[in-house]
Amino acid sequence: SWEMKSKWAYEHNEPQFVISDDLREKTMDIIQDCEDDDCKMFRLLHWVAEEIRYLGLDMGEGEGHMVHRTDEIFHELAGVCKDKAAILVSMLRAAGFESYFVLTLAMEQTLDIPADDKFNHGVVAIRNEDGSWTFLDPTWAPQNRPLFNYSEQEQPVLVAAPEGVDLKHVPYSPPEESPLNITAETSLNSDGSAEIVMFLETDGWVDGRFRSFFNWAGKSYQQRFFQSLLEDIAPQGEVMGFEFSHPLDFDQPFQMKMRASVPKAATVIGDKIYLNPLLTRHIWNSRWNSRY
């Protein structure tokens, strides 16, 4: 049964969760200015995600179905998904959370048949006071603000718990948790030209896509990105400047700002100016269709 498998995974791996003095000290340093558990959980997840390199290390017997000792992972600052998950479990425990190692099958659905070959990925679960679970994935989290991969929502997972538990599922994430909000301030001149300041704010799954791009893209690629946005609504426009929040600052949703100049943004006929507001020419769609 899944309950037996859950209990076996707990007993098999539990001795590996070693909280050394150095690991505990680092945990306290990371969460020292946090005022609630959400902040602590968030900070620890992203520290492990960014600071523990993904690197396969063969450490002997049990490789593949046992996590490495977390004091060794902390010393090496490297490991595969199960090791990143294991060190997060230990750091969360050091911070006072009831946390456990979790088995899952990334990019595929787990059939409801208890067996050893159903898993290829390790993540983390926190048991909340009401008995519900919060899931975290430190392997996926680099350059992503959410706690878990929204591409894996509703995925079956098996928590390695001491009492043995049945198969669980990652909660569903509705679209509103992954928004792309766009606003613009447009100044129109008497000759029909315009200056536009566009603000973009993301979160959830969309947030990670933008962070990943801006974390590696050079200035020329960034310039081309904003120019391509402008071309969809004003092909004659020119990007005059842009800025964005730091890709690795996860405390706030990712934000971007672009300034542009648009000649002939409106049609001037006599003493009248006819303007189609730029953002009504949907930023991700055909500007020709949007005129209707």
Side-chain angles (χ1 to χ4, degrees):
S1 69
W2 286 123
E3 289 85 355
M4 292 175 65
K5 181 73 174 177
S6 164
K7 187 174 182 180
W8 171 86
Y10 173 83
E11 294 173 348
H12 194 57
N13 284 286
E14 190 61 20
Q16 303 298 95
F17 296 104
V18 181
I19 303 174
S20 65
D21 291 341
D22 289 344
L23 190 149
R24 187 182 301 277
E25 182 180 348
K26 185 63 181 180
T27 299
M28 295 301 107
D29 180 59
I30 294 169
I31 65 173
Q32 62 178 335
D33 60 343
C34 285
E35 297 181 357
D36 55 42
D37 285 346
D38 286 345
C39 173
K40 295 174 184 178
M41 181 172 56
F42 191 82
R43 293 279 179 87
L44 292 173
L45 168 68
H46 286 290
W47 185 89
V48 172
E50 303 297 337
E51 300 298 333
I52 305 297
R53 292 175 299 137
Y54 190 92
L55 180 65
L57 300 173
D58 188 340
M59 295 186 180
E61 184 179 355
E63 190 64 46
H65 55 85
M66 180 185 293
V67 303
H68 298 142
R69 284 173 53 107
T70 52
D71 55 343
E72 296 177 358
I73 300 168
F74 182 73
H75 176 74
E76 297 291 342
L77 294 179
V80 292
C81 59
K82 61 185 175 65
D83 304 314
K84 289 170 76 80
I87 195 168
L88 180 57
V89 167
S90 285
M91 297 185 89
L92 286 166
R93 290 180 179 181
F97 292 90
E98 185 183 351
S99 56
Y100 299 100
F101 180 63
V102 179
L103 299 165
T104 185
L105 183 64
M107 306 306 293
E108 298 181 51
Q109 287 293 307
T110 299
L111 298 178
D112 195 8
I113 304 173
D116 289 339
D117 61 349
K118 299 300 178 185
F119 306 107
N120 63 8
H121 189 43
V123 295
V124 177
I126 294 175
R127 191 178 344 228
N128 303 311
E129 291 184 359
D130 62 0
S132 64
W133 299 89
T134 298
F135 298 101
L136 305 91
D137 188 348
T139 302
W140 173 82
Q143 299 167 35
N144 282 278
R145 178 172 152 80
L147 300 179
F148 205 87
N149 185 354
Y150 283 175
S151 298
E152 297 284 307
Q153 56 186 305
E154 300 186 294
Q155 180 75 307
V157 293
L158 184 66
V159 181
E163 74 277 21
V165 296
D166 197 7
L167 205 63
K168 308 294 181 185
H169 289 79
V170 177
Y172 169 68
S173 171
E176 52 267 26
E177 292 184 357
S178 297
L180 170 63
N181 297 314
I182 307 168
T183 58
E185 297 175 358
T186 304
S187 301
L188 184 63
N189 303 315
S190 59
D191 63 356
S193 64
E195 283 77 45
I196 181 172
V197 181
M198 189 181 298
F199 303 89
L200 299 93
E201 182 175 275
T202 69
D203 211 348
W205 187 86
V206 179
D207 186 86
R209 303 292 288 182
F210 279 95
R211 287 180 191 271
S212 179
F213 172 79
F214 281 97
N215 193 47
W216 69 261
K219 191 78 171 181
S220 61
Y221 284 98
Q222 296 166 7
Q223 177 77 29
R224 271 182 252 169
F225 167 80
F226 284 106
Q227 191 66 44
S228 70
L229 295 187
L230 183 62
E231 287 174 357
D232 282 340
I233 60 173
Q236 74 278 27
E238 180 183 359
V239 174
M240 307 304 293
F242 58 85
E243 57 191 77
F244 49 87
S245 53
H246 196 291
L248 301 184
D249 178 7
F250 299 104
D251 287 337
Q252 300 295 330
F254 191 67
Q255 298 173 331
M256 296 158 279
K257 177 181 177 182
M258 176 182 71
R259 301 182 305 279
S261 176
V262 184
K264 298 181 180 180
T267 302
V268 180
I269 302 177
D271 61 351
K272 292 184 173 62
I273 297 179
Y274 298 87
L275 173 69
N276 220 349
L278 295 176
L279 284 194
T280 64
R281 307 170 185 177
H282 194 277
I283 195 168
W284 304 119
N285 208 337
S286 165
R287 62 189 179 88
W288 305 110
N289 294 337
S290 65
R291 291 185 178 183
Y292 297 98

